[in-house]
Every structure is written in structure tokens, then in C-alpha cells.
Amino acid sequence: MRVHKLCENDEIRDIVVDLLENVGLSAGVINKYPHEFSGGQRQRVGIARALLFNPELIVADEAVSALDVSIQMQILQLLQDLKERLSLSYLFISHDLAVVRYFCQRVAIMYLGKFVELGTVNQIFDEPLHPYTLTLRNASPIPDPSVKQAFAQLKGEVPSPISPPRGCHFHPRCAKAKDICSREYPKWIELGEGRGVACHLYS
Ligand code: SF4
């Protein structure tokens, strides 16, 4: 607040107390050191810090991945509550597909730093188009013992992003690869209503 000259010095304490209360922390924690907070509380402090600038958009990069599952739910509910109260949007980055399915409305799937598919959360999970999306979806456990799941087998390792394979970066691991896949990177194809995919199967 001082660096960005957001307010007078004598206003800082009141603003910080408001921010802390907004994220479910009490004014009593204001003088604590970082190591005195739990993981979930630290995440709340991080969210409070992001709220300081009255943002319209918050980039939440692996916002809950380091937390215990029970705390994850509390933080997701806090983010949901703030979204509704403050009309926020999130760019929510996660490797946890169950969290993505629960929390997100639109999903972009990335492979080696590039978008390979974009759609609503239902389209991505119920009707995946890109072979990588399909593999990811099938590799994600369904928490229901009555569901028989065939886990996807994906050959090879993820290549280095600084030296990706020529053509489609996914082609050395793709069961549906065609000749063109090793030569040309697929163009992004708009499928309407915000849906898109980068794959030669659809060109
Ligand atoms: S472009 Fe080819 S290699 Fe890449 S995902 Fe599509 S089918 Fe597989």
C-alpha cells in the first residue's frame, strides 16, 4: 500500500483489518509472522493481498494444490464467495482435474505451454476432442467404487518444453497421430460458441 501510494499511512491498519475479515481471518492475526500461520491461513493472506487493488480478474496459479483436501474445500468456497460478492473472475490454473471440474466454468487444456483445447467444463469432461484431453480425463480417478475405470496408458515421457518435438508437440505420444502430425503444428480451429481445438483430426 505504501509502495503504490494507495492510501494515507494512518488508514493502512483499518484497510488491512477489512481485507483480513473479507477472507475469514480476524484482526487478531495482524501482527503474526508468516511462519505462525497455517497453510490455509497463508493462502487467505495471499488472497487478501490480491484483493487490495479491487481487481476484476485474479490469476490463481495452483491456489489449492499444496493444501490438505479439507482445507482445499474451504479455500475454494472462499474464492466462490468472493467471486459472487465482489463480481470477480478467476484465471484458475491447476493440475487437479477434480478441482477444475468443481470450480471452473470454462476450461483451456495446455500441453507443453500451448492451448490444445478450449470449452465449457461439461464439454471438456463429457465430450473431450483432443487426444491429450481425453487421456487426461481418463487418467483422473472417479471417486465412486462402483464405477469400473480403465486408466489410460500414455506412452513416453513429457518432452522438454525448451526443445519440443517438431509438428504437433503431442505426436510422439498420441495413439491417433497421422503423418502430417510429425511435420506441421496443427492450427487452432474455432468450433463455435467459444469451443476450439488444435489437432489435425479436426482440420
Ligand atoms: S495433431 Fe495429430 S498427434 Fe497431435 S493430437 Fe491431433 S492426432 Fe494426435
Side-chain angles (χ1 to χ4, degrees):
M1 279 185 269
R2 286 190 187 118
V3 167
H4 293 281
K5 300 187 174 40
L6 294 184
C7 59
E8 301 299 325
N9 278 352
D10 60 0
E11 296 172 324
I12 287 179
R13 189 183 172 90
D14 287 346
I15 293 173
V16 171
V17 169
D18 271 356
L19 285 168
L20 289 172
E21 287 174 350
N22 246 331
V23 298
L25 294 171
S26 70
V29 304
I30 202 164
N31 289 322
K32 280 192 176 183
Y33 289 97
H35 71 270
E36 294 176 282
F37 288 98
S38 67
Q41 286 175 321
R42 280 182 223 172
Q43 210 63 329
R44 287 174 191 270
V45 172
I47 294 166
R49 202 166 48 179
L51 294 177
L52 181 59
F53 294 92
N54 296 318
E56 292 176 10
L57 174 77
I58 292 181
V59 179
D61 190 354
E62 297 290 1
V64 296
S65 59
L67 302 174
D68 181 87
V69 175
S70 60
I71 308 295
Q72 281 187 10
M73 183 50 83
Q74 291 174 16
I75 297 297
L76 289 173
Q77 282 171 347
L78 170 65
L79 290 172
Q80 189 71 32
D81 173 53
L82 291 170
K83 182 180 130 187
E84 282 157 23
R85 273 198 289 132
L86 306 177
S87 301
L88 288 171
S89 297
Y90 299 112
L91 176 59
F92 190 84
I93 301 165
S94 178
H95 283 81
D96 187 331
L97 293 192
V99 169
V100 170
R101 188 162 201 171
Y102 171 78
F103 189 70
C104 300
Q105 282 81 54
R106 290 177 51 68
V107 180
I109 302 290
M110 297 183 82
Y111 186 73
L112 287 187
K114 286 186 181 283
F115 283 179
V116 296
E117 185 166 353
L118 179 68
T120 64
V121 74
N122 287 339
Q123 287 168 337
I124 293 293
F125 283 92
D126 297 339
E127 305 156 7
L129 298 176
H130 195 282
Y132 179 59
T133 311
L134 184 65
T135 311
L136 271 188
R137 198 272 313 261
N138 291 349
S140 181
I142 298 168
D144 179 350
S146 68
V147 175
K148 291 244 179 301
Q149 221 179 333
F151 285 105
Q153 297 280 326
L154 195 55
K155 61 185 179 187
E157 299 284 325
V158 180
S160 164
I162 57 171
S163 171
R166 196 164 163 246
C168 171
H169 298 344
F170 189 56
H171 86 264
R173 313 176 74 197
C174 180
K176 297 186 176 169
K178 307 188 285 184
D179 285 349
I180 191 174
C181 299
S182 57
R183 295 196 310 271
E184 289 180 23
Y185 192 85
K187 290 197 175 86
W188 183 257
I189 301 162
E190 292 286 349
L191 300 168
E193 297 178 0
R195 186 110 209 247
V197 66
C199 174
H200 288 303
L201 294 178
Y202 304 93
S203 55

